Amino acid sequence: MSALPRALAAGLDLRAARHVGSLAGGPGAWRLRHWDAALVRPGRPLPGIAPEEDGPFDAVALALPPAQAAPLVAAHAPGLPPRLAAVRIAPCWTVMLGFAARLPLPDSLRPGTGPIGWAARDSSKPGRDAGRECWVVQAGPDWSRAWLEAAPAAVIPPLLQALADLAGGPLPALDHAAAHRWRYSLVEAPLGQPCLWDPASRLGLAGDWCLGGRAEAAFDSGEALAAALLG
């Protein structure tokens, strides 16, 4: 769902492709230390290569999953990470499929059992190419956990077979297949409040995991953190 943040980001000084490894400084003079993605793997700097920095910033708002945000704020706002312990987020393997002909299935499915948690005919959305048959298939949390470290190519055949089982027979010829793993996807146990904000350090955390696994929860959480920051 990138259209909404793209519209909200219009006119902003946005720096993409930064892997922030640590925060330095303090309120009113925060610096974000990050590694050049072209030179090193995230979190694994090469010897002799110093991290780059952005800043200084008055405050820092982190819209990250708790497991990624906690290490960044632990040294500066030690009261925040313990608040995140109860939050639970499940992974999700997703495959995008293109077929030569229409599948004998409704536009969306929630099987309830088996590997697939949810599937939908993506080409049925308004404005899509009616001549193409495209599907998005999301594995359920348990299946995704069991296959978490599998290669993308390995998860396509079992999910494709599960879709065929739902269709009641062989599927049409496949002309496109791609898989993507969302390590932090489905909010199973939310924080239970709109955001976290530490006024002393001027560090805050927001995300759908604060309220629930919906796009509107992410929006409401970000709005709440913005209000706390501006207040």
Side-chain angles (χ1 to χ4, degrees):
M1 296 184 181
S2 60
L4 179 59
R6 279 204 308 270
L8 292 172
L12 299 180
D13 180 11
L14 182 65
R15 313 290 176 88
R18 294 282 204 265
H19 184 97
V20 176
S22 64
L23 306 180
W30 283 112
R31 300 190 309 278
L32 309 184
R33 309 187 74 186
H34 54 85
W35 301 96
D36 187 335
L39 296 175
V40 299
R41 294 180 61 185
R44 298 177 61 182
L46 293 178
I49 298 179
E52 298 181 359
E53 290 186 347
D54 285 319
F57 301 107
D58 178 59
V60 178
L62 296 98
L64 296 170
Q68 295 176 331
L72 294 175
V73 302
H76 308 287
L80 292 181
R83 306 280 299 278
L84 305 175
V87 177
R88 190 172 68 253
I89 304 178
C92 179
W93 270 110
T94 298
V95 296
M96 289 69 70
L97 304 169
F99 297 95
R102 186 178 176 86
L103 273 60
L105 289 168
D107 287 344
S108 64
L109 302 164
R110 291 191 182 273
T113 59
I116 296 176
W118 174 83
R121 180 179 282 111
D122 200 60
S123 48
S124 69
K125 295 178 180 178
R128 301 302 170 95
D129 184 356
R132 300 190 64 193
E133 178 74 353
C134 301
W135 280 78
V136 173
V137 178
Q138 294 184 345
D142 292 340
W143 194 93
S144 294
R145 285 191 180 99
W147 289 71
L148 185 62
E149 302 302 337
V155 307
I156 295 174
L159 292 177
L160 195 60
Q161 181 57 55
L163 189 64
D165 292 342
L166 293 173
L171 298 175
L174 188 67
D175 57 30
H176 174 78
H180 183 82
R181 179 187 64 188
W182 301 99
R183 186 177 289 273
Y184 305 104
S185 176
L186 179 65
V187 179
E188 295 181 314
L191 177 68
Q193 64 185 79
C195 67
L196 288 175
W197 171 245
D198 183 65
S201 64
R202 294 192 59 77
L203 294 176
L205 283 66
D208 61 346
W209 52 267
C210 290
L211 296 169
R214 305 288 296 176
E216 55 268 33
F219 186 94
D220 289 343
S221 178
E223 195 170 51
L225 180 54
L229 191 154
L230 294 173

